[in-house]
């Protein structure tokens, strides 16, 4: 008997929305993150809907909006298109998954909720602050600084998984100065991801809606070769999965993105299978709402 795969849950209607955003332009190091939505959709065929650890099937169906035509489009030029497509998805669905593409997609994602940024909470799982300067315009290395400049209060931001020797003192100082809550990868190991998420969700308890940026480069590079920014010493992949499930179960989380997966760098489908399981974890979390 053929097994049911997560790919079977994806079609033209569902409680959850999926939008592919194959944007690559604006990456600090040019690559092929534009190939990621296709690679993830293909790999979902290899992910069963059954979770042996909980004894539950994923029952959530996914409305796939397809891919936006943003290949080769610079983040500044794709901003309104991504924001508006994500907004349409958010309106009719409890949760929207944006499949990047590079990390520049997080800025339009935050604008897609249709509420003032003052009421939006942003959680990032990312090795980086994404606080590069914005004088070059929006790129994959500065969505958080762009959003601060757009009016997102730093107090609304929790950044989880920052890696040593992968950021600058100025980015760190600016994040602290803006009031951003920062958890390094060592904090995640010391406290455990559940405690870190408890603290982050408590801090954002009064925000009307939350978005989560899952930059896959937060994961240890040995477990995530298909992410140009991943480094040795990063987040263990099981922590990443646990965070995905936990955050997707939180009803105020309205949108999650998965960014920085470059299939052209992948080895033995490690990162494709990780990204596809991330989708399963998100759906399992959502099913528990
Ligand atoms: Mn990032």
């Amino acid at each position: 008997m053929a097994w049911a795969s997560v790919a079977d849950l994806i079609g033209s209607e569902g409680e959850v929305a999926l939008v592919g955003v194959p944007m690559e332009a604006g990456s600090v190091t040019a690559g092929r993150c534009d190939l990621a939505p296709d690679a993830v959709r293909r790999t979902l065929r290899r992910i069963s809907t059954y979770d042996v650890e909980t004894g539950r099937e994923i029952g959530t169906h996914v409305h796939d909006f397809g891919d936006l035509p943003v290949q080769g489009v610079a983040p500044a030029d794709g901003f309104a298109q991504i924001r508006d497509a994500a907004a349409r998805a958010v309106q009719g669905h409890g949760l929207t998954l944006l499949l990047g593409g590079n990390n520049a997609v997080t800025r339009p994602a935050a604008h897609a909720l249709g509420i003032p940024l003052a009421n939006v909470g942003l959680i990032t799982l990312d090795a980086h602050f994404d606080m590069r300067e914005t004088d070059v315009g929006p790129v994959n290395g500065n969505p958080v600084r762009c959003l601060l400049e757009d009016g997102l209060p730093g107090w609304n931001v929790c950044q989880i998984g920052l890696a040593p020797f992968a950021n600058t003192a100025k980015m760190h100082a600016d994040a602290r100065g803006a009031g951003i809550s920062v958890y390094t990868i060592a904090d995640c190991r010391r406290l455990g991801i559940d405690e870190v998420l408890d603290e982050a969700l408590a801090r954002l308890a009064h925000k009307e809606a939350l978005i989560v940026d899952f930059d896959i480069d937060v994961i240890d590079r040995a477990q995530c070769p298909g992410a140009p920014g991943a480094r040795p010493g990063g987040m263990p992949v099981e922590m990443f999965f646990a965070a995905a499930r936990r955050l997707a179960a939180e009803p105020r989380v309205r949108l999650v993105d998965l960014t920085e997966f470059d299939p052209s760098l992948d080895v033995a489908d490690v990162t494709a299978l990780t990204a596809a399981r991330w989708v399963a974890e998100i759906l399992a979390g959502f099913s528990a709402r």
Side-chain angles (χ1 to χ4, degrees), residues 103 126-128 130 140 143 213 215 217 259-260:
N103 211 155
D126 196 324
H128 308 102
D130 289 347
N140 71 331
D213 163 35
D215 182 332
D217 75 20
T259 61
E260 297 292 326

Side-chain angles (χ1 to χ4, degrees), residues 83-240:
R83 177 198 60 201
D84 294 347
R88 280 191 294 276
V90 165
Q91 274 164 26
H93 299 84
L95 179 64
T96 293
L97 281 61
L98 282 194
L99 279 184
N102 69 24
N103 211 155
V105 309
T106 302
R107 182 193 186 197
H111 286 273
L113 300 180
I115 60 175
L117 288 176
N119 300 337
V120 174
L122 168 66
I123 296 174
T124 70
L125 278 85
D126 196 324
H128 308 102
F129 284 108
D130 289 347
M131 290 273 281
R132 284 175 187 259
E133 299 297 330
T134 55
D135 51 354
V136 293
V139 294
N140 71 331
N142 64 18
V144 173
R145 192 181 291 277
C146 285
L147 283 167
L148 297 179
E149 293 177 359
D150 291 343
L152 180 69
W155 286 98
N156 296 23
V157 183
C158 293
Q159 298 197 269
I160 297 170
L162 281 303
F165 310 115
N167 294 282
T168 68
K170 180 173 190 307
M171 292 170 188
H172 193 185
D174 288 352
R176 275 198 301 237
I180 292 175
S181 168
V182 173
Y183 296 91
T184 66
I185 190 62
D187 294 331
C188 295
R189 290 178 191 280
R190 179 171 53 81
L191 296 169
I193 193 68
D194 285 332
E195 172 63 23
V196 168
L197 294 175
D198 282 347
E199 291 182 15
L201 289 170
R203 179 186 170 101
L204 301 175
H206 302 295
K207 301 303 157 207
E208 185 179 343
L210 310 181
I211 77 166
V212 185
D213 163 35
F214 290 88
D215 182 332
I216 203 166
D217 75 20
V218 75
I219 300 171
D220 183 77
R221 192 176 183 94
Q223 297 185 315
C224 193
R231 301 289 177 91
M235 180 176 281
V237 72
E238 61 267 29
M239 222 181 243
F240 186 77

